């Protein structure tokens, strides 16, 4: 299967924030099975969107950035939905770039396949690891979903690959206690790096104020608690 048919919604050609300690380009893959209420990339959820992105052109662009960029991040959407992701990664890797992946861990069997090609993974943890809260945070509720997330997480821990977990603190779906529970779950599984990300209200959300979004970051007990649980813990606003 050729990487030419991979469906991409767009690209960021220079980023200092998407791949830790690396200067990177980011490609935003189309397709996502989830409908998180805090999603800012809803236009990437379906495959239909014709972005005009041409894979070969992107590869040619990367050839000119070999001494400027360290890596390329495959983001989304959910990159694991695309069957020819491995081919696309291989092509970028063969140019000498480090490879990062942003994922929700939706499809562990696919993650397993591409894991040897990756240098770093950012795994979104949307809620405490139970079916009910995950269904609320992702907007969908297939029965196997939570087991998929747990499998992907275990796979990353066992692999020894550099990875982080991160949670978007949407006050409409998560409480301070929920974040504590996530912290407990992740640290007990052996996760070393955890980040909290600030929710920025989506356009249709007219009721969530900045103080609602800030409350997680103003709570010193929560921050100290999480600092004590992880080798690396920080917040991203
Ligand atoms: S997983 Fe990401 S792209 Fe998919 S709906 Fe959630 S926030 Fe949006």
């Amino acid at each position: 299967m050729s990487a030419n048919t991979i469906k991409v919604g767009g690209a960021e050609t220079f980023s200092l924030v998407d791949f830790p300690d690396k200067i990177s380009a980011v490609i935003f893959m189309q397709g996502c099975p989830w409908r998180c209420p805090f999603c800012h990339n809803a236009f990437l959820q379906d495959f239909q969107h014709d972005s005009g992105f041409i894979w070969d052109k992107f590869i040619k662009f990367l050839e000119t950035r070999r001494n400027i960029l360290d890596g390329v991040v495959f983001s989304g959407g959910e990159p694991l939905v695309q069957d020819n992701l491995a081919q696309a990664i291989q092509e970028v890797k063969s140019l000498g770039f480090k490879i990062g992946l942003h994922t929700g861990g939706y499809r562990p069997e696919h993650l397993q396949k591409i894991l040897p090609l990756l240098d770093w993974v950012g795994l979104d943890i949307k809620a405490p690891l139970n079916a009910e809260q995950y269904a609320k945070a992702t907007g969908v509720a297939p029965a196997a979903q939570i087991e998929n997330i747990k499998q992907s997480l275990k796979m990353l821990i066992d692999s020894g690959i550099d990875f982080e977990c991160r949670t978007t603190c949407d006050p409409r779906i998560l409480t301070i206690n929920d974040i504590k529970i996530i912290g407990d779950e992740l640290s007990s599984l052996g996760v070393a790096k955890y980040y909290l990300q600030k929710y920025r209200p989506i356009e249709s959300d007219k009721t969530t104020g900045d103080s609602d979004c800030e409350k997680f970051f103003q709570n010193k007990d929560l921050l100290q608690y999480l600092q004590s649980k992880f080798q690396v813990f920080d917040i991203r606003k």
Side-chain angles (χ1 to χ4, degrees):
M1 196 183 288
S2 162
N4 270 320
T5 56
I6 202 144
K7 294 184 185 310
V8 180
E12 172 70 60
T13 55
F14 186 91
S15 169
L16 297 172
V17 296
D18 289 283
F19 195 155
D21 306 321
K22 302 268 183 295
I23 301 170
S24 64
V26 186
I27 45 177
F28 299 96
M29 318 296 288
Q30 288 189 14
C32 183
W34 291 343
R35 296 295 179 264
C36 309
F38 48 83
C39 184
H40 276 278
N41 290 342
F43 69 100
L44 291 170
Q45 289 168 350
D46 295 323
F47 281 118
Q48 285 84 359
H49 167 64
D50 179 11
S51 66
F53 187 96
I54 300 166
W55 178 257
D56 285 345
K57 219 170 145 188
F58 180 65
I59 291 294
K60 283 197 167 47
F61 161 78
L62 287 179
E63 284 169 358
T64 70
R65 290 296 183 273
R66 277 181 161 134
N67 297 319
I68 300 166
L69 300 174
D70 305 309
V72 175
V73 180
F74 289 76
S75 188
E78 170 51 76
L80 293 178
V81 299
Q82 298 208 38
D83 290 336
N84 50 356
L85 182 62
Q87 285 80 0
I89 291 175
Q90 282 280 19
E91 219 171 311
V92 172
K93 201 173 175 74
S94 69
L95 297 175
F97 294 104
K98 300 276 185 201
I99 303 295
L101 176 75
H102 293 172
T103 179
Y106 148 81
R107 207 176 160 202
E109 72 285 359
H110 199 181
L111 180 61
Q112 178 90 71
K113 189 173 146 198
I114 63 166
L115 211 48
L117 302 171
L118 304 178
D119 297 290
W120 173 82
V121 176
L123 178 68
D124 290 336
I125 298 295
K126 311 276 186 189
L129 297 170
N130 64 70
E132 191 187 334
Q133 282 185 283
Y134 238 83
K136 194 174 167 194
T138 59
V140 292
Q145 176 169 296
I146 192 65
E147 291 313 315
N148 286 355
I149 314 308
K150 288 179 180 172
Q151 267 186 47
S152 292
L153 183 54
K154 184 168 184 331
M155 205 178 285
L156 286 173
I157 293 165
D158 292 346
S159 72
I161 191 173
D162 186 22
F163 79 100
E164 68 176 38
C165 292
R166 59 271 189 94
T167 300
T168 299
C169 299
D170 182 341
R172 299 169 304 166
I173 54 174
L174 292 173
T175 64
I176 283 169
N177 197 47
D178 287 333
I179 300 293
K180 262 189 175 171
I181 291 169
I182 297 171
D184 284 340
E185 290 173 330
L186 297 182
S187 67
S188 68
L189 288 168
V191 171
K193 299 179 184 177
Y194 184 49
Y195 293 83
L196 294 185
Q197 301 178 156
K198 185 174 175 180
Y199 164 66
R200 300 194 177 279
I202 57 170
E203 216 176 318
S204 61
D205 177 8
K206 306 291 184 204
T207 53
T208 307
D210 194 53
S211 60
D212 301 317
C213 303
E214 272 290 327
K215 71 178 178 191
F216 301 92
F217 310 100
Q218 302 299 336
N219 189 307
K220 288 196 175 117
D221 286 347
L222 175 68
L223 302 184
Q224 274 169 8
Y225 186 72
L226 294 173
Q227 259 154 10
S228 74
K229 290 270 167 190
F230 296 96
Q231 281 173 33
V232 178
F233 164 72
D234 214 337
I235 56 179
R236 293 185 181 133
K237 293 195 190 180

